[in-house]
Amino acid sequence: MLLAFDTSSAAVTVALATPAGEIVASSTTVDALRHGELLAPAIASALDTAGAGPRDLTGIAVGVGPGPFTGLRVGLVTARTMGEVLGIEVSGVCSLDILARQSSLTLPVAVATDARRKEIYWALYDGPAADGSRRRLEGPAVDKPADVAHVLSGLPVIGRGAVLYGDVLGLPPAADDAVAEYPSAEVLATGVATGTLVVVEPEPMYLRRPDVTMSAGPKSVL
């Protein structure tokens, strides 16, 4: 079975899927301050619901961000530790790709999530292919919403950033079925199982903020 989770946003989302991508258990809790407290119980609950144990897992899929460091680190440390202990593969996926895959629109879309400090993480995507996958055209990047409003102009925007800064981005009201605020572990699990999401190394995706000088050395998640 494939265990999937994402902690790159204010949501802690967990799902368990069969090798074919059928979801057998899932949960999502929105609490930006309790990732460390919520993730392990959510994983245990998903396994219990499916009548499975850790040794039944054949792989782990984890969202790699971009996202705030503390929450993102919780998910990546958990994924990499479990993978090491159980001897199974850990697959990373850009969290913005997960959100783009959640859109039901048959059009190109933009994704914008909350980067805090009145900034957004964003990326642009092509329309969906026959299998539902979307090709990332630009990004991920981090910017002030006003600085990239012209880039996102004319596109439906998915994600929490669209809710927080829709007025700055000049967005029209979106249809209910077109909006997803947070990455879904169900979509992550299905996308990895079916090969419709691009898999990367389970390393944190940190982005240089436009107004901050970062240290030369990378941050470790372990």
Side-chain angles (χ1 to χ4, degrees):
M1 304 194 79
L2 176 67
L3 173 66
F5 48 87
D6 185 287
T7 59
S8 67
S9 69
V12 175
T13 178
V14 175
L16 199 61
T18 66
E22 179 184 355
I23 303 299
V24 296
S26 67
S27 68
T28 296
T29 302
V30 178
D31 190 329
L33 301 178
R34 299 177 62 224
H35 294 82
E37 299 173 43
L38 295 171
L39 180 57
I43 292 172
S45 177
L47 290 169
D48 185 62
T49 297
R55 293 294 173 184
D56 295 311
L57 298 177
T58 56
I60 296 173
V62 61
V64 301
F69 175 72
T70 301
L72 186 59
R73 180 177 57 183
V74 169
L76 286 163
V77 169
T78 300
R80 290 170 57 173
T81 301
M82 290 184 68
E84 181 71 20
V85 170
L86 298 173
I88 57 178
E89 183 179 5
V90 179
S91 302
V93 174
C94 172
S95 300
L96 302 190
D97 291 1
I98 303 169
L99 269 162
R101 185 71 172 79
Q102 286 168 229
S103 174
S104 61
L105 295 174
T106 57
L107 304 167
V109 298
V111 171
T113 61
D114 183 17
R116 301 180 183 174
R117 297 181 56 183
K118 299 184 178 180
E119 294 173 335
I120 56 172
Y121 299 116
W122 63 274
L124 305 181
Y125 294 84
D126 206 349
D131 60 3
S133 62
R134 288 182 183 267
R135 181 167 56 101
R136 194 186 327 139
L137 302 175
E138 188 172 348
V142 58
D143 287 285
K144 299 289 187 183
D147 292 341
V148 291
H150 66 288
V151 179
L152 278 56
S153 176
L155 291 172
V157 183
I158 314 302
R160 182 64 179 167
V163 176
L164 294 175
Y165 304 109
D167 54 341
V168 178
L169 297 172
L171 302 178
D176 290 341
D177 63 353
V179 176
E181 291 190 41
Y182 305 108
S184 163
E186 292 190 7
V187 172
L188 171 58
T190 300
V192 170
T194 60
T196 54
L197 281 171
V198 176
V199 170
V200 298
E201 291 297 317
E203 299 290 342
M205 185 176 289
Y206 298 124
L207 300 179
R208 184 181 297 276
R209 293 180 179 274
D211 60 345
V212 174
T213 300
M214 297 181 68
S215 63
K219 294 177 179 177
S220 172
V221 299
L222 293 178

